[in-house]
Amino acid sequence: MENSGSKLIVSIKELWKIYPMGNFEVQALKGIDLNIIEGEFISVAGPSGSGKTTLMNIIGLIDSFNSGSLTIDGLAIKDQNREELARLRRDMLGYVFQSFNLLPVLNVFENVELPLIISGKGGSKSERRDRVEYLLKEVGLEDRHTHVPAELSGGQQQRVAIARALVTSPRIVIADEPTANLDSETGEMVLSLMKEINHNEKTTFIFSTHDPEIWKMADHIVFLHDGLVKSETTTESNRKKKKSGDNSAQGQ
């Protein structure tokens, strides 16, 4: 579903993923076609076993695929070597996991700063500090810099994980069931925060969730079933709101 004048950030054609299981094969994805426009807030939905996590891992360059094609920002993934894939993961992608995956021995500031140090993209120490402090303020945790993960609630840990995913300014954020371990109120708050960042920073968010209420926040919803795209819808009202907000900002 591509709008005129919009840029594709992800293009998938006839994508298959098959896992060998002893004498059997599990066809996790069965020839999926999908286009994602830059700046979209897209939900990948479907029951357990539908292929959601497999698709997210392939787009996130965590898993490989058997056949078909995946193009990210115009680069054909099959043509990239291991070093080039590592660079794409480092420079293009951010990840938000349902289990948070924060390092327990590091405090909030250090957990968010770590990707900048590893990638070498953070600049000077003061530049890294400014970026981390900005994002912690964005996620409402400016007063939790020195806390370790065990001292935070689940919702606070997920907000730290969102700041960590965004600290290197990725073009795409992959969020696999980011609210699964949160209560409904906290989950909605976390998704609203992601939506706000999507609008303000123009980051493409690709997330999966079982919650129909959360689907309503998406610009683009893809329903998977048994490894196939069962249906695909675009919520034009959300896109119009986003476009209206962009135009309003440009007029200021």
Side-chain angles (χ1 to χ4, degrees):
M1 292 187 176
E2 183 178 2
N3 288 352
S4 177
S6 300
K7 177 182 178 181
L8 284 180
I9 191 75
V10 175
S11 179
I12 294 170
K13 297 184 186 303
E14 282 292 315
L15 195 74
W16 283 78
K17 178 62 180 180
I18 300 170
Y19 293 102
M21 300 287 287
N23 295 325
F24 301 95
E25 290 183 341
V26 175
Q27 296 179 340
L29 299 177
K30 305 173 183 177
I32 282 181
D33 294 322
L34 178 63
N35 287 330
I36 298 173
I37 296 170
E38 187 169 29
E40 276 193 319
F41 197 71
I42 177 171
S43 172
V44 179
S48 296
S50 62
K52 297 192 308 297
T53 296
T54 299
L55 180 61
M56 301 285 282
N57 287 342
I58 289 174
I59 295 173
L61 306 181
I62 296 171
D63 201 355
S64 60
F65 53 95
N66 295 89
S67 63
S69 68
L70 166 63
T71 302
I72 297 179
D73 197 32
L75 295 173
I77 296 307
K78 271 193 171 180
D79 296 338
Q80 312 304 309
N81 61 33
R82 183 177 297 181
E83 290 74 20
E84 289 165 334
L85 291 175
R87 181 189 59 78
L88 278 172
R89 280 190 290 266
R90 182 192 68 210
D91 295 345
M92 283 280 297
L93 300 167
Y95 305 89
V96 180
F97 303 97
Q98 59 178 289
S99 55
F100 317 137
N101 286 3
L102 302 178
L103 294 178
V105 297
L106 300 183
N107 63 31
V108 165
F109 186 96
E110 292 165 340
N111 263 285
V112 177
E113 182 187 33
L114 186 61
L116 287 176
I117 296 173
I118 292 173
S119 67
K121 294 173 64 177
S124 67
K125 186 174 181 178
S126 64
E127 288 172 327
R128 292 200 308 269
R129 184 188 65 242
D130 290 346
R131 177 64 176 167
V132 174
E133 287 180 347
Y134 163 74
L135 284 169
L136 288 177
K137 184 176 181 181
E138 284 289 290
V139 300
L141 293 174
E142 62 268 34
D143 59 344
R144 295 288 190 272
H145 284 201
T146 61
H147 288 64
V148 295
E151 297 172 327
L152 304 176
S153 68
Q156 288 171 330
Q157 290 187 58
Q158 193 60 295
R159 282 186 276 159
V160 175
I162 292 170
R164 181 185 60 187
L166 291 166
V167 74
T168 59
S169 301
R171 302 270 298 284
I172 302 169
V173 170
I174 307 290
D176 188 18
E177 299 281 2
T179 61
N181 293 327
L182 307 176
D183 61 69
S184 58
E185 182 177 353
T186 305
E188 288 182 16
M189 179 191 67
V190 166
L191 264 294
S192 294
L193 172 63
M194 291 166 65
K195 183 73 172 177
E196 182 179 350
I197 292 169
N198 160 256
H199 182 271
N200 292 341
E201 300 208 4
K202 312 307 179 211
T203 307
T204 303
F205 275 83
I206 307 170
F207 68 96
S208 64
T209 179
H210 286 90
D211 190 343
E213 290 301 311
I214 297 175
W215 299 342
K216 296 176 183 178
M217 301 174 67
D219 308 318
H220 183 178
I221 308 166
V222 178
F223 290 94
L224 299 185
H225 185 73
D226 288 340
L228 295 165
V229 175
K230 184 178 180 181
S231 64
E232 189 175 357
T233 59
T234 302
T235 52
E236 290 297 338
S237 59
N238 284 346
R239 277 188 173 161
K240 286 176 182 176
K241 286 178 186 176
K242 182 185 293 186
K243 187 173 181 181
S244 174
D246 292 344
N247 292 339
S248 177
Q250 291 170 5
Q252 291 176 358

